[in-house]
Amino acid sequence: MKNDAAMNGAGITEVGFPMWPQFDQKSVGDVTELLQNGKVCYWTGPKGMEFEEKWAKWIGAKMAISCTNGTAALHIAIASLGIGPGDEVIVPSYSFIASSFSVVQAGAIPVFADVTDDHTIDPASIEALITERTKGIVVVHLYGGVADMGPILAIAKKHNLKIIEDCAQCFGGEYNGKKAGTIGDVGCFSFCQSKHFTTGGEGGMVVTNDEDLGWECRSFRDHGYDVRQRMNMLALEEKLPYIHNRVGFNYRMTEIQSVIGINELARFDDWNLARRKKYAKMYDDAFTGLKGIKKLPHNTAERKNAYWWYPILLDLDALDIKADEFVKELLKEEQIPCYGIQWPEAYEERAYREKNGFGSAKFPFCSTEYTNPQSADYTKVLCPHAKALRDQTVSLFLHPSWEEVHIERCIAGVKNVLARHQK
């Protein structure tokens, strides 16, 4: 039984867990139509702009900018905020590597903050990391859990910092009634295969309520050309010989990806997210107060969870087993697809410890623009709470393609392992 299947959230089909993702069958015909008419590029068909408009309306943002993937979304957002060489951005150590690599891609230096038991950045760890070079904070709403945004917003306001929300794992989470991605200055989403839903394997979206920033993101996404004139690129090329205002990238989403996204968004609230929340309640009801479980995912009226995964913290004082062995036993003995913790200490990566940036200059870590080398000495970084969560975190799945019987099987499996390992 391969653990990579569990990691990717695919489910283990040989023991009856349905695969995820599953696509709306409408997409089969829609994609076929695009392949037949040949309008598969963002600038030749209408679906890319339609997906952006529908995503912006759904999330409550003035602008949405589609792109190739979630990493590109973060790069677009950070660079378009004017963050670059010589700057620092505070990021949680506990996240997928793209959350911090995107800072490096923009030419800035990531500075790692610790997290809380909620798996999200600890507001109390942020202020001590702020220097005269700090320009922003990347807030990651991990596993679907929404970060404690109140104190983070206050810190950002006090120090004039930008907030970039990484919502790759948080479609539809809310803070005080506002959807994740619309709370800070800019929000970034991933439509990779394992996420709440996918646009055919990869895809991303940037959202903002700042129209000036939105147009800058559009320009950066599309070779730096002058999108603010709100003209079709082909028509603009015919009209003007010089149309590029800044250095940019080609991060455009295809029409095929966009039409899949349109169809998945249409059934997201009523089917996808609704089932995740129903299954999360089943887990809550089964695990609340259970000996051996220290904490369940944070979900309150203030911070509504979107339940990408369902991470539980083990009470190691009550058990004779740690998370890695717990996961192995769930997989092997109980035939339950599951996973442990995802990437708690990014600063342990070789790229950071050896400062393996771009080119022989190892930009930006060793470049002349950056004169504060101690901030980039990742061999001396330690986020103790993130480190401690490695031994405690067991992640369960709640894919909308599953039925209640699959959740009940997961519950039974967890209870069986707990029963075998009580001290």
Side-chain angles (χ1 to χ4, degrees):
M1 185 176 299
K2 292 184 178 180
N3 195 33
D4 60 351
M7 176 183 175
N8 290 324
I12 301 177
T13 55
E14 55 265 38
V15 295
F17 286 88
M19 288 288 292
W20 183 254
Q22 289 183 1
F23 295 97
D24 189 325
Q25 285 302 298
K26 185 176 184 298
S27 293
V28 176
D30 289 346
V31 168
T32 299
E33 182 179 348
L34 290 173
L35 294 175
Q36 290 174 338
N37 67 32
K39 295 181 179 180
V40 292
C41 172
Y42 180 90
W43 286 115
T44 59
K47 294 301 179 181
M49 294 181 188
E50 181 182 343
F51 185 30
E52 291 170 337
E53 290 170 2
K54 288 183 174 179
W55 187 266
K57 182 178 180 181
W58 171 76
I59 203 168
K62 289 182 179 178
M63 296 187 73
I65 302 94
S66 61
C67 57
T68 50
N69 51 59
T71 307
L74 286 164
H75 186 197
I76 290 166
I78 293 167
S80 297
L81 284 166
I83 295 170
D87 297 333
E88 296 175 357
V89 177
I90 296 169
V91 301
S93 69
Y94 181 177
S95 182
F96 181 54
I97 196 68
S99 301
S100 56
F101 267 4
S102 57
V103 175
V104 179
Q105 290 162 358
I109 298 289
V111 176
F112 291 105
D114 211 341
V115 296
T116 69
D117 278 354
D118 298 332
H119 310 280
T120 57
I121 192 168
D122 184 355
S125 73
I126 294 174
E127 207 150 14
L129 301 174
I130 296 173
T131 72
E132 70 280 357
R133 293 181 177 273
T134 308
K135 294 297 189 297
I137 307 167
V138 174
V139 177
V140 184
H141 303 300
L142 204 68
Y143 301 131
V146 176
D148 187 7
M149 293 301 296
I152 298 172
L153 291 167
I155 291 168
K157 183 177 181 180
K158 176 181 175 182
H159 296 277
N160 193 30
L161 304 178
K162 301 296 184 181
I163 293 180
I164 302 100
E165 294 180 75
D166 183 342
C167 309
Q169 299 177 3
C170 195
F171 295 17
E174 296 182 16
Y175 178 77
N176 281 336
K178 295 182 68 174
K179 283 192 174 74
T182 66
I183 306 158
D185 294 278
V186 61
C188 304
F189 294 82
S190 168
F191 301 117
C192 185
Q193 173 158 341
S194 66
K195 299 305 187 288
H196 280 77
F197 70 75
T198 180
T199 50
E202 295 287 355
M205 191 75 77
V206 180
V207 299
T208 183
N209 281 306
D210 182 334
E211 290 196 51
D212 289 338
L213 175 59
W215 286 113
E216 191 68 15
C217 288
R218 284 193 181 280
S219 179
F220 190 87
R221 187 270 311 260
D222 212 331
H223 299 290
Y225 96 85
D226 190 3
V227 292
R228 185 129 199 185
Q229 292 196 41
R230 306 186 188 213
M231 299 177 68
N232 180 285
M233 183 180 70
L234 301 178
L236 190 58
E237 285 179 337
E238 292 175 359
K239 181 180 178 181
L240 298 171
Y242 304 111
I243 61 174
H244 300 92
N245 290 344
R246 59 162 301 155
V247 174
F249 290 74
N250 180 4
Y251 283 150
R252 295 190 304 266
M253 180 181 282
T254 69
E255 290 291 274
I256 291 172
Q257 291 172 288
S258 293
V259 78
I260 295 171
I262 290 167
N263 292 337
E264 294 306 316
L265 179 59
R267 65 174 185 162
F268 182 71
D269 286 333
D270 294 338
W271 177 72
N272 188 323
L273 188 58
R275 288 169 79 92
R276 291 177 185 274
K277 289 182 176 180
K278 179 175 74 171
Y279 297 157
K281 187 177 186 306
M282 291 176 64
Y283 283 144
D284 286 345
D285 292 344
F287 297 145
T288 297
L290 205 60
K291 185 179 179 183
I293 294 182
K294 175 183 174 182
K295 186 175 176 58
L296 302 179
H298 188 90
N299 181 52
T300 62
E302 179 187 50
R303 295 162 60 189
K304 291 184 179 179
N305 203 310
Y307 296 110
W308 178 60
W309 283 4
Y310 188 95
I312 61 175
L313 293 188
L314 300 179
D315 183 353
L316 300 183
D317 292 331
L319 301 172
D320 64 5
I321 191 172
K322 293 181 180 180
D324 57 347
E325 293 300 321
F326 197 104
V327 167
K328 290 178 184 177
E329 200 162 314
L330 266 180
L331 286 165
K332 184 177 179 181
E333 303 298 331
E334 302 296 332
Q335 301 286 285
I336 300 300
C338 62
Y339 200 64
I341 195 170
Q342 285 199 321
W343 326 289
E345 298 168 274
Y347 52 81
E348 292 282 1
E349 295 282 1
R350 182 177 175 184
Y352 286 125
R353 296 180 71 84
E354 297 182 4
K355 301 181 181 178
N356 291 328
F358 298 103
S360 58
K362 293 192 173 184
F363 180 83
F365 304 117
C366 303
S367 65
T368 56
E369 292 85 357
Y370 196 70
T371 56
N372 195 23
Q374 63 268 26
S375 291
D377 186 356
Y378 298 106
T379 63
K380 296 180 180 179
V381 175
L382 175 64
C383 293
H385 207 81
K387 186 179 183 69
L389 289 175
R390 184 188 295 273
D391 289 337
Q392 302 175 56
T393 306
V394 174
S395 296
L396 303 176
F397 303 139
L398 25 57
H399 305 308
S401 56
W402 290 8
E403 301 295 341
E404 290 185 16
V405 64
H406 303 110
I407 302 301
E408 290 167 355
R409 184 167 179 173
C410 292
I411 290 169
V414 170
K415 287 183 175 180
N416 287 343
V417 179
L418 286 172
R420 289 195 291 267
H421 292 281
Q422 299 288 330
K423 284 185 178 178

